[in-house]
Amino acid sequence: MTDAFDRAHTQAGHRVRLEWGPTGAAAIAGPADVAVVVDVLSFTTTLVVALDRGTTVHPYRWKDERAAAHAAEHDAVLAVGRLGARHGRAGTSLSPAALAALAAADVPERLVLPSPNGSTICSGLADRGCAVVGACLRNAAAVAAWLAPRVAGGATVAVVAAGERWPDDTLRPAVEDLWGAGAVLAALADAVGPGALSPEAAHAAAAYRAVAGTLHESLLACASGAELVDRGFADDVRVAAETDVSTVVPLLVDGAFRPAPAR
């Protein structure tokens, strides 16, 4: 790539940017002050539910054999996959509905939460020198309110829609992450003005505004939502569709997500 091509793909002319997946995150987050990772179904939704319940969350790469040792090192519970929990494997799962339904006594104090998309991206961003925030529909307005004074002060923001994976492990852009990113970006544009947004970010904001009135139905009908419904996890889609019910802003510090301190 030429230097000009590199610069174009960082969206460097705009303070608020949007890209997809791990490669997109690397392209736009390196020169940014804040990276906002969005994985609606379901890492960042589970993350927000966990923090609202008082749990500290350690993101971790998916299918990494060192995850159990990492959990033991931090005296944390290692989350299991949805299907593993259903088939009798003990432990807290990636399912946000299952986590929300836990009795208070069963909510873990610390949770290592691997996922193939959002958690893996967060882990990859941890060493890039930018603040890393988790966002979904549940906390979109709170994240935008946290970002607004920073953008107004000149900070740059990289919003990363996690997407999903095809069977050959290539990126599948996932419309639910476009909508989740767009919810943050639409609220941020309302606060700081649309001129800060790159065309990619503005497109996501417009996509969210177009679907906001039918969000639950649209999440159930989209490919990722329909897949979860078919597997018996419709409640996860319902929890993910609950918009602006949380004020928590998950901030990654020293390898763990905790609520960002109030300004």
Side-chain angles (χ1 to χ4, degrees):
M1 293 186 187
T2 66
D3 289 344
F5 191 73
D6 283 340
R7 178 174 171 79
H9 283 268
T10 66
Q11 301 173 34
H14 308 277
R15 279 179 293 148
V16 181
R17 308 150 186 178
L18 172 89
E19 256 302 341
W20 286 90
T23 303
I28 65 170
D33 298 300
V34 183
V36 180
V37 178
V38 181
D39 184 358
V40 170
L41 295 174
S42 297
F43 170 73
T44 52
T45 296
T46 306
L47 169 64
V48 169
V49 170
L51 264 63
D52 274 333
R53 301 213 66 185
T55 299
T56 296
V57 174
H58 299 258
Y60 209 73
R61 293 172 295 276
W62 185 244
K63 293 184 178 179
D64 188 319
E65 62 185 14
R66 296 167 294 180
H70 186 75
E73 178 184 346
H74 292 279
D75 192 24
V77 172
L78 175 61
V80 301
R82 288 184 182 90
L83 293 176
R86 168 168 289 176
H87 294 148
R89 187 177 169 193
T92 303
S93 86
L94 180 61
S95 163
L99 183 58
L102 283 178
D106 296 327
V107 175
E109 183 177 349
R110 289 172 294 277
L111 182 66
V112 172
L113 190 60
S115 83
N117 302 299
S119 188
T120 298
I121 291 169
C122 290
S123 297
L125 288 171
D127 298 324
R128 298 193 70 88
C130 57
V132 179
V133 169
C136 61
L137 292 163
R138 296 179 68 85
N139 71 336
V143 171
W146 187 85
L147 292 170
R150 291 164 171 81
V151 173
T156 56
V157 175
V159 179
V160 181
E164 297 288 344
R165 314 301 298 182
W166 288 112
D168 65 357
D169 204 39
T170 55
L171 175 71
R172 175 173 71 82
V175 72
E176 70 275 7
D177 293 338
L178 180 68
W179 296 334
V184 175
L185 291 162
L188 185 57
D190 288 344
V192 303
L197 276 62
S198 71
E200 292 83 354
H203 172 76
Y208 170 72
R209 294 187 197 278
V211 80
T214 59
L215 194 54
H216 187 201
E217 296 86 349
S218 296
L219 275 178
L220 286 168
C222 74
S224 301
E227 178 184 30
L228 287 177
V229 171
D230 287 347
R231 293 182 176 183
F233 296 105
D235 281 349
D236 283 350
V237 183
R238 174 188 57 77
V239 170
E242 293 173 342
T243 304
D244 294 333
V245 297
S246 173
T247 60
V248 74
V249 177
L251 180 63
L252 185 61
V253 178
D254 295 331
F257 277 108
R258 297 176 177 87
R263 286 178 66 89

